[in-house]
Amino acid sequence: MSLQILMESLMWMFLLLVLYPVNTITLNHGKEREVHLKETSEDGLKDLNVSNNWTKCGDNMCKCNEINQAFCLNRGHQLNYIPRFKQNIKYLNFTGNYLPNIDNHTFTNITNFKLNYLHLETNSIRNCTPNAFNHLKYLRTLTIRNSRISRTKLMQCLSGITKDLQTLELAYIFYNYHLNLNLDESLTNSKIKTLTIRGIYMNHYNHSKSSTLKYLQFLTIQKAYLETVTFDYSSVLRKLDFSLNKLIQFPKFCVGENAYFTHLEELRLDHNFISAIHPNQLACMKSLVSFSINNNAIVYIESNTFLGLPKLNIVSITYNSGLKGIRNFAFNSSSLKELYIYDDDLYFDKDHIHNSLDAFKYCYQLEILRVSSNHFNFTTNVMFDELFGNLVNVKSLSLSTCGLTFLPSFIPKYLNKLERLWLHHNNINDLPESYFSNFNYLQNI
Ligand SMILES: *[C@@H]1O[C@H](CO)[C@@H](O)[C@H](O)[C@H]1NC(C)=O
Ligand SMILES: *[C@@H]1O[C@H](CO)[C@@H](O)[C@H](O)[C@H]1NC(C)=O
Ligand SMILES: *[C@@H]1O[C@H](CO)[C@@H](O)[C@H](O)[C@H]1NC(C)=O
Ligand SMILES: *[C@@H]1O[C@H](CO)[C@@H](O)[C@H](O)[C@H]1NC(C)=O
Ligand SMILES: *[C@@H]1O[C@H](CO)[C@@H](O)[C@H](O)[C@H]1NC(C)=O
Ligand SMILES: *[C@@H]1O[C@H](CO)[C@@H](O)[C@H](O)[C@H]1NC(C)=O
Ligand SMILES: *[C@@H]1O[C@H](CO)[C@@H](O)[C@H](O)[C@H]1NC(C)=O
Ligand SMILES: *[C@@H]1O[C@H](CO)[C@@H](O)[C@H](O)[C@H]1NC(C)=O
């Protein structure tokens, strides 16, 4: 850029700032990636009201705060029992200690409390008797992480837990056999709403075996090497997350027009090996709001993939580097508001005919579109108009890292509702005069 052009641009930017309601100009390098790939809070700490006002408690081996939370951390063999507490503990995080045998005496010191939340992590648990948890009547959340208890003993142990438990997480429990989950046996009539299984080798999931969990709303099975699943009917399940597994085929959610999960709102299948989705594999899920299948092996996004899903708001298909193309009308939907297809190594130009220039037709409600980190090096203004010209409701658009050499004209021409625009990491070297003069809502560039 010559000095003269630079001065002109600066002058122009100055005028823009004065004349138009632009609050900030932010350079959000790489930010969107963080936002959408972030795993959900692993430890639930975000829900926890942690205070800094700690006092020593539990035979001086734990710390407690004024809202009755106790943390007993990393005392190893020194702490081989659950100690006595002076205050009425409601929340206990017992991590890195030694409880090889859990039985009906183990929790004696806390049975008189209204213990709501128990987190047992890395305590070398080997045995656990069926009546171990019998007396913890107020327990609502239980986490067991990182132990080597056998499947039979684990199932026995779970059978004694109060039926009022709402949240159960089992993570990184190792032994020689697959966890052939048979929750029907051990959790009969439980009111569990949230079940999380993570880092436990499972291979196959059979939902019939959890059919006794009539209140199950949120099911997460991650890092379980799941290859196949069989579902069964539930009208209560609202969220299903099978990310970080080895699924090759899109699971069977639909039997003809009927859905196994009639009220499923959120489906996450990120980080698997699924190569195809056919429209009729989704069409039955009439309550679906959010669908995400990032980092899989999807080859084509077919025409009308999301048709007939009246509540669908969010679709995310990022990091599918084997993606060859998006067919015409792929996102035809009268409800879709957010679409994420960044980092898919897609080419949008006439030499790569697999991506239809009609791919983004018939999704008029779209407000957020991120197509960053794809290839638009040779996409002309005429093609851009064809691709995105009808998306008149878009408020947030990212075309960063797209090989752009010019500012596409469709943005000021059609996207008058734009509030946020990301264009970083491109090769744009010219800002056409008055490019930004038609925006009334633009806040971030
Ligand atoms: C319990 O404490 C351990 C060790 O600090 C921590 O890693 C874990 O996230 C905590 N879990 C919860 C649920 O508070
Ligand atoms: C967090 O702790 C403070 C101080 O004890 C309390 O006033 C507040 O209600 C608590 N918030 C929640 C969500 O528990
Ligand atoms: C901290 O704890 C002490 C003793 O329990 C209490 O007197 C004090 O009010 C607490 N401070 C805060 C900021 O909660
Ligand atoms: C209860 O706590 C006391 C003191 O903290 C300890 O000596 C005792 O072994 C504990 N009881 C059980 C059953 O763990
Ligand atoms: C613990 O269980 C054993 C048998 O499993 C029983 O004999 C004993 O009375 C129980 N103790 C308590 C405190 O519940
Ligand atoms: C799933 O579990 C049900 C009930 O135990 C059983 O009848 C069915 O055969 C199982 N299906 C598969 C594919 O394992
Ligand atoms: C888009 O979806 C509607 C149903 O909502 C359907 O009638 C129409 O044929 C679809 N358009 C195309 C071009 O496939
Ligand atoms: C397209 O643009 C990207 C990013 O600017 C660049 O790395 C790449 O080499 C370009 N490809 C071609 C074929 O020009």
Side-chain angles (χ1 to χ4, degrees), residues 14 61 71 228 410 436:
F14 173 76
M61 286 190 280
F71 283 71
T228 51
F410 80 94
F436 289 101

PDB file of all heavy atoms in Angstrom, residues 14 61 71 228 410 436:
ATOM      1  N   PHE A  14     -11.615   7.353   9.576  1.00  0.00           N
ATOM      2  CA  PHE A  14     -11.942   8.389  10.549  1.00  0.00           C
ATOM      3  C   PHE A  14     -13.352   8.925  10.287  1.00  0.00           C
ATOM      4  O   PHE A  14     -14.192   8.985  11.175  1.00  0.00           O
ATOM      5  CB  PHE A  14     -10.912   9.514  10.477  1.00  0.00           C
ATOM      6  CG  PHE A  14     -11.273  10.694  11.338  1.00  0.00           C
ATOM      7  CD1 PHE A  14     -11.103  10.640  12.717  1.00  0.00           C
ATOM      8  CD2 PHE A  14     -11.804  11.843  10.782  1.00  0.00           C
ATOM      9  CE1 PHE A  14     -11.456  11.709  13.506  1.00  0.00           C
ATOM     10  CE2 PHE A  14     -12.162  12.916  11.562  1.00  0.00           C
ATOM     11  CZ  PHE A  14     -11.983  12.853  12.934  1.00  0.00           C
ATOM     12  N   MET A  61      -7.481 -31.755  56.967  1.00  0.00           N
ATOM     13  CA  MET A  61      -7.010 -32.249  55.668  1.00  0.00           C
ATOM     14  C   MET A  61      -7.878 -31.745  54.517  1.00  0.00           C
ATOM     15  O   MET A  61      -7.618 -32.053  53.355  1.00  0.00           O
ATOM     16  CB  MET A  61      -6.948 -33.774  55.682  1.00  0.00           C
ATOM     17  CG  MET A  61      -5.768 -34.259  56.515  1.00  0.00           C
ATOM     18  SD  MET A  61      -5.449 -36.011  56.359  1.00  0.00           S
ATOM     19  CE  MET A  61      -6.689 -36.661  57.452  1.00  0.00           C
ATOM     20  N   PHE A  71     -13.672 -29.341  50.189  1.00  0.00           N
ATOM     21  CA  PHE A  71     -12.760 -29.937  49.224  1.00  0.00           C
ATOM     22  C   PHE A  71     -11.687 -30.697  49.996  1.00  0.00           C
ATOM     23  O   PHE A  71     -10.979 -30.102  50.798  1.00  0.00           O
ATOM     24  CB  PHE A  71     -12.088 -28.840  48.384  1.00  0.00           C
ATOM     25  CG  PHE A  71     -12.980 -28.269  47.317  1.00  0.00           C
ATOM     26  CD1 PHE A  71     -14.057 -27.460  47.650  1.00  0.00           C
ATOM     27  CD2 PHE A  71     -12.739 -28.535  45.970  1.00  0.00           C
ATOM     28  CE1 PHE A  71     -14.890 -26.927  46.661  1.00  0.00           C
ATOM     29  CE2 PHE A  71     -13.559 -28.006  44.983  1.00  0.00           C
ATOM     30  CZ  PHE A  71     -14.635 -27.209  45.312  1.00  0.00           C
ATOM     31  N   THR A 228     -21.358 -48.498  17.470  1.00  0.00           N
ATOM     32  CA  THR A 228     -22.761 -48.681  17.052  1.00  0.00           C
ATOM     33  C   THR A 228     -23.685 -48.364  18.218  1.00  0.00           C
ATOM     34  O   THR A 228     -23.304 -48.480  19.377  1.00  0.00           O
ATOM     35  CB  THR A 228     -23.011 -50.138  16.606  1.00  0.00           C
ATOM     36  OG1 THR A 228     -22.532 -51.000  17.637  1.00  0.00           O
ATOM     37  CG2 THR A 228     -22.331 -50.444  15.300  1.00  0.00           C
ATOM     38  N   PHE A 410     -21.424  -8.175  -2.517  1.00  0.00           N
ATOM     39  CA  PHE A 410     -22.741  -8.594  -1.980  1.00  0.00           C
ATOM     40  C   PHE A 410     -22.946  -8.092  -0.559  1.00  0.00           C
ATOM     41  O   PHE A 410     -24.079  -7.911  -0.133  1.00  0.00           O
ATOM     42  CB  PHE A 410     -22.894 -10.122  -2.029  1.00  0.00           C
ATOM     43  CG  PHE A 410     -22.204 -10.858  -0.907  1.00  0.00           C
ATOM     44  CD1 PHE A 410     -22.902 -11.201   0.248  1.00  0.00           C
ATOM     45  CD2 PHE A 410     -20.865 -11.196  -0.995  1.00  0.00           C
ATOM     46  CE1 PHE A 410     -22.273 -11.884   1.284  1.00  0.00           C
ATOM     47  CE2 PHE A 410     -20.227 -11.872   0.041  1.00  0.00           C
ATOM     48  CZ  PHE A 410     -20.924 -12.215   1.172  1.00  0.00           C
ATOM     49  N   PHE A 436     -18.784   0.825   3.201  1.00  0.00           N
ATOM     50  CA  PHE A 436     -19.529   0.616   4.444  1.00  0.00           C
ATOM     51  C   PHE A 436     -20.646   1.634   4.674  1.00  0.00           C
ATOM     52  O   PHE A 436     -21.187   1.717   5.763  1.00  0.00           O
ATOM     53  CB  PHE A 436     -18.565   0.634   5.637  1.00  0.00           C
ATOM     54  CG  PHE A 436     -17.682  -0.579   5.692  1.00  0.00           C
ATOM     55  CD1 PHE A 436     -16.366  -0.527   5.260  1.00  0.00           C
ATOM     56  CD2 PHE A 436     -18.179  -1.787   6.176  1.00  0.00           C
ATOM     57  CE1 PHE A 436     -15.551  -1.654   5.316  1.00  0.00           C
ATOM     58  CE2 PHE A 436     -17.375  -2.922   6.239  1.00  0.00           C
ATOM     59  CZ  PHE A 436     -16.061  -2.856   5.808  1.00  0.00           C
TER      60      PHE A 436
END
